[in-house]
Amino acid sequence: MAAVPKQTTMAIKSYKNQAQMLVKNYLLADPFAPYTSILGGILACKVVYDLTDLISSFYIKTYPSLTKIQRVDWNNRGISTTHAIFVSALSLYFVFWSDLFSDPHLTCLMVFRSSQLSTFGLGVSLGYFFSDLAMTVWQYPALGGIEYVRIFSTRNALWHTLYLFVYLVTVVIHHLLSGTAVAYSMFTGEAQLYTYMVLISEVTTPEIHLRWYLDTAGMKRSTAYLINGVVIFIGWLIARVLLFGYMFYHVYLHYDQVIKMHAFGFVLVLGVPSALGILNLMWFGKIIKGLAKTLAKRRSRTKELDGEN
């Protein structure tokens, strides 16, 4: 194997040092980090969308047979899944492993602590919220709206239209609430711990999308579909019900610090998780009913097979 010329090696090191200086002094510098991360999140969504389309075309047999809008939904869920994995991993790190918010030796109050990494992570997530909201409104009612109608199925055209409108309003409110809370926490540095606590709930998103993928691929009666339902139930219970309760308990224990936040930040810390918590409980009830229905159908099919034998 031929040795790399010394001049080439030095040139590579020079470019590497210049790139590191660019990232350190500009892209991740305090004044630019929020805007850089938002832009990076938006660009990452586009890259993931194209990669999902490319990979699915080669490795997913049912993908070529999907309609155009189903492919858009498929690829959009790839973006959502990637963001969920990224932000939930980062959230778990900051909430349970990092000493940024738990170190008692730091003089700054817990609600005012932040770092370049924590701010950058929130910016990437905010970029995703912008992209997902834009995609949902642009492709409305194809992205998710039809599913909403199926949940509240009715043959009345007026009710169909109403449910689709309610779905759009719900998505917009959810994204605006989440986006506002994330943006405020990112730009002010306040309550980043509580923001990441709420973002841990994204850990359930990949399972939700996997359920749609299995359904679209014609695997609704498979064992994987059943296991997925059980995992969603457990994950939702832990990440979107119990964890929200723990967050409010944490706010109660540190209320003396929370009260020192800006009034708008104080309202966000209490208001946004409360609104999302109510939505989580409503959907948790539907998850329980759906899982019970799936289990009942499976028992019924098992009895039929036993009877035939």
Side-chain angles (χ1 to χ4, degrees):
M1 187 175 183
V4 179
K6 185 176 180 180
Q7 186 177 0
T8 303
T9 304
M10 293 178 64
I12 293 174
K13 288 183 179 180
S14 176
Y15 285 125
K16 181 180 179 181
N17 292 334
Q18 291 178 26
Q20 290 176 342
M21 291 293 291
L22 174 65
V23 172
K24 181 178 180 181
N25 295 334
Y26 293 96
L27 298 183
L28 294 182
D30 288 340
F32 299 101
Y35 308 101
T36 303
S37 57
I38 294 173
L39 180 60
I42 295 173
L43 293 177
C45 289
K46 172 59 176 173
V47 172
V48 173
Y49 183 94
D50 291 339
L51 285 176
T52 304
D53 180 51
L54 180 64
I55 295 173
S56 299
S57 299
F58 283 102
Y59 296 102
I60 305 299
K61 294 181 179 180
T62 57
Y63 185 77
S65 62
L66 299 178
T67 64
K68 181 179 179 181
I69 195 59
Q70 283 181 319
R71 292 187 186 186
V72 171
D73 200 354
W74 181 290
N75 299 330
N76 194 58
R77 289 174 188 270
I79 298 174
S80 181
T81 300
T82 303
H83 164 262
I85 294 172
F86 165 78
V87 78
S88 58
L90 195 61
S91 299
L92 288 169
Y93 167 73
F94 278 121
V95 173
F96 296 111
W97 283 285
S98 173
D99 59 357
L100 175 62
F101 302 108
S102 61
D103 191 346
H105 301 294
L106 296 177
T107 57
C108 182
L109 294 178
M110 176 271 300
V111 293
F112 298 119
R113 295 180 188 177
S114 63
S115 67
Q116 284 188 341
L117 179 59
S118 65
T119 299
F120 188 84
L122 293 178
V124 172
S125 188
L126 186 59
Y128 159 76
F129 281 121
F130 285 151
S131 301
D132 191 58
L133 180 59
M135 180 70 81
T136 301
V137 174
W138 179 41
Q139 295 288 347
Y140 174 81
L143 295 185
I146 300 300
E147 289 183 10
Y148 193 81
V149 170
R150 287 173 182 169
I151 294 173
F152 302 96
S153 59
T154 174
R155 296 180 180 179
N156 190 296
L158 178 61
W159 282 110
H160 273 231
T161 304
L162 178 61
Y163 286 137
L164 285 171
F165 176 74
V166 170
Y167 163 78
L168 179 62
V169 172
T170 302
V171 170
V172 171
I173 291 176
H174 173 273
H175 280 56
L176 288 180
L177 283 175
S178 301
T180 301
V182 171
Y184 179 85
S185 185
M186 178 187 64
F187 284 112
T188 65
E190 291 186 6
Q192 289 197 358
L193 172 63
Y194 297 128
T195 304
Y196 275 113
M197 279 188 179
V198 173
L199 286 174
I200 289 177
S201 62
E202 285 292 316
V203 75
T204 61
T205 299
E207 294 83 4
I208 297 294
H209 291 326
L210 178 59
R211 194 167 189 79
W212 182 88
Y213 285 130
L214 291 172
D215 190 2
T216 304
M219 300 176 63
K220 195 170 183 177
R221 293 190 175 184
S222 65
T223 302
Y225 191 83
L226 176 62
I227 295 174
N228 174 262
V230 175
V231 172
I232 289 176
F233 169 79
I234 297 173
W236 200 282
L237 175 63
I238 296 174
R240 291 184 180 261
V241 178
L242 298 180
L243 186 62
F244 271 64
Y246 171 75
M247 196 217 76
F248 285 116
Y249 179 66
H250 195 281
V251 170
Y252 169 76
L253 292 179
H254 298 84
Y255 187 77
D256 58 323
Q257 296 188 40
V258 176
I259 197 64
K260 294 179 181 179
M261 293 173 55
H262 188 277
F264 186 65
F266 178 80
V267 171
L268 288 177
V269 166
L270 296 180
V272 173
S274 297
L276 296 179
I278 292 172
L279 289 175
N280 288 339
L281 288 174
M282 291 172 58
W283 283 106
F284 187 57
K286 297 183 182 299
I287 289 172
I288 294 175
K289 291 180 181 179
L291 181 60
K293 187 177 179 180
T294 301
L295 291 173
K297 287 183 178 180
R298 196 169 186 84
R299 290 197 196 98
S300 178
R301 286 198 298 268
T302 302
K303 289 181 180 179
E304 289 177 1
L305 292 174
D306 291 342
E308 292 176 358
N309 296 331

